[in-house]
Amino acid sequence: MAACRRVQRVLLLIFISGWICCAHGAKSLNAENENVDNVERGKNQAEVGKAAAADGASVVRRGSGWKLAEDAACREDVSRICPKHSWNNNLAVLECLQDRKDDNEITSACNHLLWNYKLNLTTDPKFENVASEVCKSTITGIKECAAEERGKGYLVSCLVDHRSNISEYQCNQYITKMTSIIFSNFRLICGFMDNCKEDINTLHCGSVNTIEKDLHSQGEVISCLEKGLISEAEGQPGHYIIKEECKKAIMRVAELSSDDFHLDRHLYFACREDRERYCENTPAGEGKVYKCLFNHKFEEGMSDKCKDALSTRQKLIAQDYKVSYSLAKACKPDLRKYRCNMDSAMPRAREAKLSYLLLCLESAVHRGQTVTGECQGEMLDYRRMLMEDYSLSPEIVLHCRSEIESQCSGLHHKGRTLHCLMRVSREKGIMENHCQKALQTLIQETDPGADYRIDRALNEACESVIQTACKHIRNGDPMILSCLMEHLYTDKMVEGCEQRLLELQYFISRDWRLDPILYKKCQNDAARICHTHGWNETSEFMPPGAVFSCLYRHAYRTEMQGRRGSSESSDVNTKVSLKLSRDCKTEVQRILHQRALDMKLDPELQQRCMTDLGKWCSEKTESGQELECLQDHLDDLVSTCRDVVGNLTELESEDIQIEALLIRACEPVIQSYCHEVADNQIDTGDLMECLVANKHQREMNEKCAVGVTHFQLIQMKDFRFSYKFKMACKEDVLKLCPNIKKKVDVVVCLSTTVRNDTLQDAKEQRVSLKCRKQLRVEELEMSEDIRLEPELYESCRQDIKQHCQNVVFGNAQVIECLKENKKLLNPHCHQKVFRLQEQEMMDPELDFQLMRVCKQMIRRFCTETDSKNMLQCLKQNKNSELMDPKCKQMITKRQITQNTDYRLNPVLRKACKADIPKFCQGILSKAKDDNELEGQVVSCLKLKYADQRLSPDCEDQIRVILQESALDYRLDPQLQLQCTEEIPRLCAEEVAAQEQTGQVEECLKVNLLKISHEGCKKEVLNILKESKADIFVDPVLHTACALDIKHQCAAILPGRGRQMSCLMEALQDKRVRLQPECKKRLQDRIDMWSYAAKVAPADGFSDLAGQVLTSPAKTYILSMLSMSVLLLFFMGLLCGRITKRVTQELKDRNLGQPWFEPLDTNRKGYDLIY
């Protein structure tokens, strides 16, 4: 260091002694003051001579007791401005006159005298002796100062350099007070003029003419240079590049003035009144006044000129941390310990920046190393300072100028501008934007994720939320931010806090290190798996959010599971060794659950899907809507976006708690039905499966139901979106259904394979047991909503709008509506619905409405029944007194459906497998696939039942159908079809009956003569014909004759008309007395049968034979037929004998004549035959 710089500091020591005597009145300093006065007295002749030489004034001879207060040039000013008790101490008078208020001007002569007085003091080498005496013990303790050569002023310079290490009170006061002399005029700092003269002139910061010695102008010159330095750093338009030597001199001046705000003359004069207002009780020294003023910078009462001066000071601190005395002192051991200023590859200017210090020490903290509490406290203050005022970061001022001017002007207050820039950056979402990069760098430097209080705007906006929702967490704990995220979009969250929180989280989400808890738990895993760098190291090749994406992919990856292609999938294998530790995985899941609330918090998703978001989801602005929109348009997305959306959807299927909004909406259902699986630390799809299973419980609200259904719909797009299904059936899909992606197609493929193996009685099922079980779950879930059957839904979309527009999706209600309007559907939809019904009849458990409505009845009657026979069991118990009416009605609906087509009745189809093609082939040949036969085959089998020509198994099934349809006309499709007009016209009262007991059929029989429609009449005649075969087919007659059957025909087996014949014989037997009602009904039946025989003669011999066999008078008819056959036989015998003689005579007559045969048609004559 130059000798002149050291000599100037020697002066300061002398002035300090005088000040101490005046200010504290301490007797202990009298000796030192006398030494100073002796030096002054020995120098007064030289001082006066130099003063006279400087301004041409007459030489004033001053005695050994000369005082500034007594000099004619300053006597009046001193008496007017300074307190009387300070007049006897030159240093006290000097300080008083220097620190005067703006309205107390001093004469130019006094100003001139003061200037020369200070200048002459700086040239006296005897001050070194004074310093040696005052700082004797300090010099001994500082090796560098003890080794300095004496007599050249180097000792005092060394003491100034090490003043932060001076613990001796008197010595420290000398060194501190001495600086006030130098900082009152920049020209007193050796080397400053030489280094900055050209820059001062260029920037027009003031004159260097020694004639102009105004005290204020000297501080203004340094302030002007400081502003020029800042302007250059911020890249302001038209800025001037200051020379490096001058830059160093400016920063050195700022550093030397860091402990006492009196030394920064510009700031001192700008903030004197503000200091008195806000920091009156704050003692000077150690930078305490600076910090106090910084804390009140944005107070409404703070003057603008003080704000500007404070901002300038803060910007200098940002350029060099040593400009902050308290920070440099508190963190000096830690900086040395962690080698934060020992990087030889880093330019000194970079090392000195506040940002570098913060990053280096924050890195040590994040690594778990110890940084002193005092240093951490200072770091916290300056991190908060950077977050409050964006202008302290030159990169933001440089790169965000246009955004500030256009969208964030006028918000320079408590961090609001910075949050405005965050909001703009979040809305734009441009990762390469220089402004966003500058903001990201600032967030890393300030690290608000470690302590939310650093972000003053966030702190103020979220204070009420923290006090209510997060009061259990210690103030300043990093978990406060996590708590706020967990309450995002809840009733406890307020709008302002929500906005500030999302703005900050947008940047935290782009650098995994900014979440201190995540970094602490996962730094080893990230280094091992994702090849990350240190906390304060960056890589241009690592895109935003890449490390966290890597972590969450491994958090959910197992040895047996892989993910689809991603930016890192090719570089990272799936070995078990690459699985995350438990603590890290827990943190990754926590953050995933929180960030899933807003897709902008997923950098990879936002970057890859920006185009698709604009194309498909521009109107989706609510929370969670953007991701749902992308999932809805999954097949339309570009491949890169589709992959990342697919990966995230797979994760959701494994851990649905990622969908935080859905979980909140479903909280009542979860608490009531799914709390056990929800409490599991690791979710493997169980929670979503539980929600689906309980989707129609009364606790289920609309939001939850919509969310669950939407996720089910998304799962249809890819079977891998159903975690449990994927894990159970992955191998089976690869083996049996390769190249099939959509879940519904995979389910159809696998279920078809299972069905074929079952029907063919395969020795071993090709689909594994665990897959079959999960396949069953998927089939049952798909039956609940038509939208989960994409092909069916698309085929019937128009019909749904036309016929079911007021029907709500879910609970299979739309499917039920389509079934009820099946005749009105378009052919394609009709076929799909028919196929669906066929599947449901084969497996009633897939019939969601049936299983839902009859749930309790199944538990009561069919607990041990196989699922395939569930409907059969319900039908058998349909007429039980314990049967629920709603379930009974649903069973009837399914019976009506079954009777429309034999293919919808698996039991009948199997029992009549041989009979149907044998007797009803004509109907089958005319039938079309996937279209109902409207009961034609069943009607055909009914007629054959009356003819007693069916196989036993088929006969049993037809008997059941006949008995059921006899009670309820709706179970006879052909009767309904043919008698559509006749039934309402003739039997309106019977139709309106609450329960059908065969009254409608009886009405039609009674009104047979009134029926005009031939088809209807034929169906009624068929009913009469069928009733001959079995009395159970005629419920009215059976009810009327129940007692007579019991008494007269108890030994007669039912079926094949046996009991009916028994009753007819009893009717003809005069010895038997039947019940009047039975007798009447039997007579009516005979009349009906007689009329039927006339109206509808037999169609053929087989029909005739059938009528005879089923006729009650078949014995009489058969007897008469037998007698007729015998009579014909005897007549034949008699006629045969007569004709035999005639034939013999003719033969004898022609015995001698040859027989001739006509020739071929092409020849004439006859050929002779011998």
Side-chain angles (χ1 to χ4, degrees):
M1 181 180 292
C4 64
R5 292 182 65 189
R6 291 169 176 166
V7 172
Q8 59 141 7
R9 294 170 187 165
V10 177
L11 303 161
L12 303 175
L13 286 174
I14 311 261
F15 282 92
I16 295 167
S17 63
W19 195 353
I20 293 172
C21 291
C22 176
H24 302 283
K27 295 181 180 180
S28 61
L29 294 179
N30 287 339
E32 285 79 355
N33 287 335
E34 290 176 2
N35 290 336
V36 174
D37 289 339
N38 290 334
V39 173
E40 291 176 354
R41 285 193 292 271
K43 289 285 293 180
N44 66 56
Q45 298 296 330
E47 290 173 3
V48 174
K50 289 183 180 180
D55 57 11
S58 61
V59 177
V60 180
R61 304 294 299 179
R62 296 178 183 135
S64 59
W66 179 83
K67 303 294 183 181
L68 277 174
E70 297 174 354
D71 193 285
C74 291
R75 184 184 301 119
E76 183 181 349
D77 294 317
V78 171
S79 62
R80 178 168 51 88
I81 297 173
C82 302
K84 189 173 182 179
H85 64 79
S86 65
W87 292 356
N88 292 327
N89 189 291
N90 289 340
L91 290 180
V93 172
L94 178 63
E95 182 181 19
C96 170
L97 294 177
Q98 283 188 153
D99 295 348
R100 71 188 186 281
K101 295 184 178 181
D102 293 341
D103 55 355
N104 290 326
E105 295 293 336
I106 62 174
T107 62
S108 59
C110 183
N111 190 25
H112 177 70
L113 177 63
L114 293 175
W115 162 251
N116 283 283
Y117 177 68
K118 291 187 292 181
L119 182 63
N120 290 332
L121 286 177
T122 63
T123 62
D124 193 341
K126 291 183 179 180
F127 286 119
E128 186 174 285
N129 296 330
V130 177
S132 298
E133 183 177 349
V134 175
C135 300
K136 185 182 296 184
S137 61
T138 299
I139 295 171
T140 303
I142 302 175
K143 296 180 180 180
E144 294 86 347
C145 298
E148 289 287 358
E149 184 179 355
R150 304 300 171 89
K152 296 184 178 181
Y154 295 164
L155 176 61
V156 176
S157 178
C158 178
L159 289 172
V160 172
D161 286 341
H162 292 84
R163 59 180 175 157
S164 60
N165 296 326
I166 298 175
S167 59
E168 188 178 357
Y169 179 74
Q170 294 178 357
C171 180
N172 186 53
Q173 290 297 312
Y174 270 108
I175 297 300
T176 301
K177 293 300 181 181
M178 191 173 182
T179 56
S180 64
I181 300 174
I182 296 176
F183 284 96
S184 66
N185 195 307
F186 66 90
R187 287 172 292 181
L188 298 180
I189 302 176
C190 293
F192 188 88
M193 280 297 302
D194 296 334
N195 293 329
C196 296
K197 182 175 182 179
E198 182 181 343
D199 297 295
I200 292 173
N201 289 329
T202 304
L203 293 171
H204 304 287
C205 289
S207 173
V208 293
N209 192 326
T210 56
I211 299 177
E212 299 181 15
K213 296 177 287 293
D214 178 69
L215 286 174
H216 291 71
S217 69
Q218 309 311 311
E220 294 299 325
V221 170
I222 296 178
S223 174
C224 176
L225 289 172
E226 290 173 345
K227 291 180 179 178
L229 180 63
I230 294 169
S231 177
E232 178 186 344
E234 294 177 351
Q236 297 288 351
H239 67 272
Y240 168 75
I241 301 177
I242 300 175
K243 293 186 300 182
E244 288 298 322
E245 294 79 4
C246 185
K247 288 181 182 177
K248 293 178 180 178
I250 295 170
M251 298 307 294
R252 183 60 178 165
V253 169
E255 179 183 342
L256 292 173
S257 61
S258 62
D259 62 336
D260 191 343
F261 91 111
H262 291 87
L263 305 182
D264 188 332
R265 306 305 295 171
H266 172 72
L267 186 143
Y268 170 72
F269 285 111
C271 297
R272 278 190 302 181
E273 294 180 357
D274 297 289
R275 187 266 174 101
E276 293 176 2
R277 182 181 300 113
Y278 298 109
C279 309
E280 181 180 4
N281 298 323
T282 304
E286 298 185 350
K288 293 180 180 179
V289 176
Y290 284 128
K291 291 187 67 174
C292 176
L293 291 172
F294 289 160
N295 291 334
H296 293 86
K297 176 181 171 181
F298 291 109
E299 297 290 344
E300 293 183 0
M302 181 69 72
S303 63
D304 292 338
K305 61 181 180 179
C306 184
K307 285 182 182 178
D308 293 339
L310 290 173
S311 294
T312 300
R313 187 80 193 179
Q314 289 176 319
K315 292 175 183 178
L316 292 175
I317 294 174
Q319 295 297 312
D320 190 337
Y321 71 91
K322 291 184 179 180
V323 177
S324 171
Y325 176 85
S326 58
L327 179 64
K329 180 182 178 181
C331 296
K332 185 175 182 179
D334 297 294
L335 291 171
R336 185 183 297 112
K337 180 179 179 180
Y338 300 115
R339 306 178 66 85
C340 293
N341 51 5
M342 302 292 288
D343 191 349
S344 58
M346 190 72 68
R348 176 68 186 89
R350 173 72 173 91
E351 287 184 9
K353 283 184 176 293
L354 175 63
S355 60
Y356 185 79
L357 174 144
L358 293 175
L359 289 174
C360 180
L361 293 181
E362 285 168 7
S363 177
V365 174
H366 284 291
R367 290 196 302 268
Q369 296 171 319
T370 303
V371 174
T372 61
E374 186 180 2
C375 179
Q376 290 199 47
E378 289 293 328
M379 290 170 58
L380 182 65
D381 290 338
Y382 283 97
R383 284 154 60 192
R384 183 185 294 115
M385 179 186 76
L386 292 174
M387 283 295 291
E388 282 186 356
D389 191 348
Y390 78 94
S391 65
L392 304 185
S393 302
E395 295 82 5
I396 292 181
V397 175
L398 175 62
H399 297 300
C400 301
R401 184 175 291 114
S402 61
E403 287 85 353
I404 293 173
E405 293 176 354
S406 61
Q407 302 187 57
C408 303
S409 60
L411 296 174
H412 192 282
H413 189 56
K414 299 180 181 180
R416 294 178 183 174
T417 302
L418 193 59
H419 267 277
C420 174
L421 291 173
M422 291 180 181
R423 175 180 55 78
V424 172
S425 183
R426 179 173 178 267
E427 291 174 353
K428 288 183 178 180
I430 303 174
M431 307 306 295
E432 293 77 15
N433 186 279
H434 292 296
C435 178
Q436 181 165 347
K437 290 182 178 179
L439 289 169
Q440 188 71 48
T441 301
L442 176 63
I443 298 300
Q444 185 179 4
E445 293 168 0
T446 56
D447 195 17
D451 191 337
Y452 74 97
R453 295 173 298 180
I454 292 170
D455 189 341
R456 185 170 179 178
L458 175 70
N459 188 15
E460 293 182 356
C462 297
E463 184 177 2
S464 61
V465 183
I466 294 172
Q467 292 299 323
T468 55
C470 311
K471 59 183 178 181
H472 60 286
I473 304 176
R474 179 178 56 85
N475 197 24
D477 194 287
M479 285 303 294
I480 291 286
L481 278 183
S482 179
C483 174
L484 291 174
M485 286 297 294
E486 289 174 0
H487 289 87
L488 197 63
Y489 304 122
T490 65
D491 295 337
K492 293 184 179 180
M493 180 59 64
V494 296
E495 183 178 359
C497 178
E498 178 183 300
Q499 293 174 354
R500 301 293 89 77
L501 181 62
L502 287 175
E503 289 159 5
L504 178 61
Q505 283 290 344
Y506 177 80
F507 288 90
I508 291 179
S509 67
R510 274 145 181 78
D511 190 340
W512 73 290
R513 300 168 297 183
L514 298 182
D515 189 308
I517 304 174
L518 174 68
Y519 185 81
K520 180 180 179 180
K521 302 290 187 182
C522 295
Q523 55 181 320
N524 293 330
D525 296 283
R528 174 170 53 89
I529 298 174
C530 308
H531 315 295
T532 58
H533 304 280
W535 193 90
N536 60 335
E537 298 176 10
T538 57
S539 172
E540 295 180 358
F541 303 101
M542 189 73 73
V547 176
F548 185 71
S549 296
C550 169
L551 289 174
Y552 81 62
R553 277 192 286 273
H554 286 82
Y556 291 89
R557 176 178 280 132
T558 64
E559 185 178 8
M560 300 296 294
Q561 175 189 4
R563 294 266 179 249
R564 66 182 72 214
S566 67
S567 59
E568 298 174 7
S569 60
S570 60
D571 300 329
V572 183
N573 56 45
T574 58
K575 295 181 180 178
V576 180
S577 60
L578 294 184
K579 293 170 64 177
L580 298 186
S581 63
R582 177 176 296 181
D583 290 343
C584 179
K585 183 174 181 179
T586 300
E587 286 306 309
V588 170
Q589 290 175 330
R590 171 183 68 84
I591 293 176
L592 265 179
H593 295 170
Q594 294 174 358
R595 294 183 183 175
L597 294 170
D598 191 327
M599 70 162 293
K600 289 186 174 66
L601 301 182
D602 188 333
E604 184 182 24
L605 179 64
Q606 187 183 23
Q607 184 179 19
R608 295 191 181 189
C609 298
M610 186 161 300
T611 302
D612 289 302
L613 282 170
K615 184 176 182 181
W616 306 106
C617 312
S618 58
E619 297 180 357
K620 305 294 184 180
T621 57
E622 297 295 327
S623 174
Q625 286 186 345
E626 290 178 320
L627 179 58
E628 290 182 0
C629 174
L630 291 175
Q631 291 172 330
D632 291 337
H633 293 87
L634 185 66
D635 296 332
D636 303 319
L637 306 180
V638 297
S639 59
T640 54
C641 179
R642 184 166 57 247
D643 287 342
V644 70
V645 173
N647 280 332
L648 185 57
T649 308
E650 283 190 63
L651 293 183
E652 288 181 347
S653 70
E654 181 177 354
D655 184 6
I656 194 57
Q657 296 193 52
I658 293 175
E659 283 278 8
L661 292 178
L662 175 62
I663 296 301
R664 291 175 189 171
C666 297
E667 189 66 26
V669 183
I670 294 174
Q671 292 298 325
S672 300
Y673 302 99
C674 310
H675 61 277
E676 293 183 359
V677 293
D679 293 338
N680 292 340
Q681 190 170 8
I682 300 176
D683 182 17
T684 54
D686 295 319
L687 182 54
M688 176 51 73
E689 190 173 282
C690 177
L691 289 173
V692 171
N694 294 279
K695 194 164 70 169
H696 301 287
Q697 298 292 347
R698 64 177 181 274
E699 290 85 357
M700 178 67 69
N701 54 66
E702 184 179 359
K703 287 185 177 180
C704 181
V706 171
V708 172
T709 302
H710 177 267
F711 195 76
Q712 288 181 283
L713 296 175
I714 297 304
Q715 288 180 324
M716 293 296 106
K717 296 179 181 291
D718 195 320
F719 79 96
R720 289 172 293 187
F721 294 166
S722 298
Y723 177 76
K724 300 193 76 172
F725 182 54
K726 174 183 65 177
M727 298 306 295
C729 298
K730 183 167 62 177
E731 296 178 359
D732 300 277
V733 173
L734 293 175
K735 180 175 64 176
L736 301 172
C737 311
N739 304 321
I740 298 180
K741 174 183 172 183
K742 291 186 176 181
K743 179 180 174 181
V744 63
D745 296 334
V746 172
V747 170
V748 170
C749 172
L750 292 176
S751 60
T752 302
T753 303
V754 172
R755 184 181 64 183
N756 292 340
D757 289 345
T758 303
L759 293 177
Q760 295 171 9
D761 295 326
K763 294 182 179 180
E764 184 177 352
Q765 287 276 357
R766 287 175 289 174
V767 180
S768 64
L769 178 61
K770 65 177 181 179
C771 181
R772 292 201 302 272
K773 290 182 178 179
Q774 191 60 37
L775 180 64
R776 189 66 180 168
V777 174
E778 301 299 330
E779 289 176 331
L780 295 177
E781 289 182 3
M782 290 169 58
S783 67
E784 184 267 338
D785 195 320
I786 190 173
R787 293 172 296 181
L788 302 179
E789 295 270 10
E791 290 189 8
L792 174 63
Y793 182 58
E794 290 300 322
S795 300
C796 299
R797 186 184 291 269
Q798 294 301 323
D799 292 293
I800 293 172
K801 290 181 180 179
Q802 186 174 355
H803 306 297
C804 311
Q805 61 180 15
N806 296 324
V807 179
V808 180
F809 287 102
N811 260 339
Q813 294 180 90
V814 174
I815 295 177
E816 195 68 22
C817 172
L818 292 175
K819 292 176 182 178
E820 293 172 357
N821 293 278
K822 191 164 53 176
K823 295 180 180 180
L824 305 176
L825 305 180
N826 70 75
H828 194 46
C829 177
H830 192 132
Q831 292 176 1
K832 293 291 183 183
V833 172
F834 179 81
R835 284 299 176 195
L836 175 65
Q837 289 179 310
E838 189 174 7
Q839 293 174 5
E840 291 177 348
M841 294 304 176
M842 292 181 64
D843 190 353
E845 199 172 16
L846 299 179
D847 189 339
F848 186 87
Q849 276 281 30
L850 175 69
M851 302 304 292
R852 183 183 69 84
V853 174
C854 297
K855 185 176 181 179
Q856 297 300 326
M857 297 300 101
I858 291 173
R859 292 179 180 175
R860 175 173 293 173
F861 298 112
C862 309
T863 52
E864 298 180 0
T865 305
D866 182 73
S867 61
K868 306 288 184 181
N869 300 319
M870 198 66 68
L871 179 58
Q872 196 70 15
C873 171
L874 290 172
K875 285 160 61 176
Q876 292 172 358
N877 294 277
K878 172 183 173 182
N879 296 316
S880 169
E881 294 180 357
L882 300 176
M883 177 59 67
D884 177 66
K886 292 183 178 179
C887 179
K888 185 174 182 179
Q889 185 179 3
M890 182 59 66
I891 296 171
T892 301
K893 283 186 178 181
R894 296 302 178 258
Q895 288 179 296
I896 294 172
T897 300
Q898 283 189 327
N899 290 346
T900 58
D901 196 304
Y902 76 99
R903 290 170 292 184
L904 300 180
N905 191 335
V907 179
L908 175 67
R909 188 174 184 178
K910 182 178 181 181
C912 300
K913 185 177 182 180
D915 299 90
I916 291 174
K918 179 179 179 181
F919 299 113
C920 311
Q921 186 61 44
I923 299 173
L924 297 180
S925 60
K926 298 177 182 179
K928 296 181 180 179
D929 293 338
D930 303 328
N931 281 318
E932 291 89 341
L933 298 174
E934 298 297 344
Q936 296 180 61
V937 172
V938 176
S939 295
C940 170
L941 293 174
K942 287 179 181 179
L943 293 175
K944 301 307 173 186
Y945 173 83
D947 295 339
Q948 301 178 3
R949 301 177 62 184
L950 299 179
S951 62
D953 291 341
C954 184
E955 187 175 285
D956 291 340
Q957 291 302 316
I958 292 298
R959 183 186 302 113
V960 172
I961 293 175
L962 285 169
Q963 292 172 1
E964 291 172 347
S965 58
L967 291 171
D968 192 339
Y969 75 99
R970 295 171 297 177
L971 300 183
D972 190 335
Q974 279 295 310
L975 180 65
Q976 270 198 299
L977 179 65
Q978 299 296 337
C979 300
T980 304
E981 298 178 358
E982 307 293 341
I983 291 176
R985 181 172 64 86
L986 300 173
C987 311
E989 293 183 5
E990 289 78 0
V991 171
Q994 188 172 2
E995 187 172 352
Q996 295 296 321
T997 56
Q999 297 301 322
V1000 174
E1001 288 86 343
E1002 185 68 17
C1003 170
L1004 291 173
K1005 293 174 186 176
V1006 172
N1007 292 282
L1008 181 60
L1009 297 176
K1010 298 179 181 179
I1011 296 175
S1012 58
H1013 191 279
E1014 291 298 325
C1016 180
K1017 183 180 292 186
K1018 183 178 180 181
E1019 288 301 318
V1020 175
L1021 293 173
N1022 287 338
I1023 292 174
L1024 290 171
K1025 180 180 178 182
E1026 293 158 5
S1027 65
K1028 292 182 180 180
D1030 199 328
I1031 194 171
F1032 287 99
V1033 178
D1034 194 335
V1036 175
L1037 179 63
H1038 182 265
T1039 302
C1041 299
L1043 290 176
D1044 296 299
I1045 293 173
K1046 184 177 181 181
H1047 294 140
Q1048 307 298 331
C1049 309
I1052 307 297
L1053 295 175
R1056 296 186 177 271
R1058 288 186 286 264
Q1059 289 186 340
M1060 183 66 76
S1061 298
C1062 174
L1063 288 174
M1064 287 298 180
E1065 292 175 359
L1067 178 64
Q1068 295 175 0
D1069 191 345
K1070 296 181 179 180
R1071 294 172 300 175
V1072 178
R1073 297 187 63 180
L1074 300 177
Q1075 295 292 325
E1077 184 65 21
C1078 177
K1079 188 174 182 179
K1080 179 179 179 299
R1081 292 291 181 185
L1082 283 173
Q1083 192 60 51
D1084 291 341
R1085 294 300 180 266
I1086 293 173
D1087 296 339
M1088 290 179 186
W1089 291 332
S1090 301
Y1091 176 77
K1094 296 177 183 177
V1095 175
D1099 294 332
F1101 182 78
S1102 60
D1103 193 16
L1104 178 62
Q1107 290 186 13
V1108 171
L1109 291 174
T1110 57
S1111 173
K1114 67 178 180 179
T1115 305
Y1116 173 77
I1117 296 173
L1118 290 176
S1119 300
M1120 295 301 295
L1121 287 173
S1122 300
M1123 292 177 62
S1124 300
V1125 170
L1126 287 174
L1127 179 61
L1128 289 174
F1129 177 73
F1130 286 118
M1131 289 179 65
L1133 287 176
L1134 180 61
C1135 294
R1137 286 186 169 277
I1138 297 172
T1139 56
K1140 187 175 181 181
R1141 292 196 195 98
V1142 176
T1143 303
Q1144 186 64 40
E1145 290 176 356
L1146 290 174
K1147 287 181 179 179
D1148 293 340
R1149 186 181 305 165
N1150 298 322
L1151 184 60
Q1153 299 179 4
W1155 289 85
F1156 290 89
E1157 181 178 86
L1159 295 174
D1160 188 84
T1161 54
N1162 295 325
R1163 299 171 60 189
K1164 296 180 179 181
Y1166 296 86
D1167 286 335
L1168 181 63
I1169 298 178
Y1170 295 97

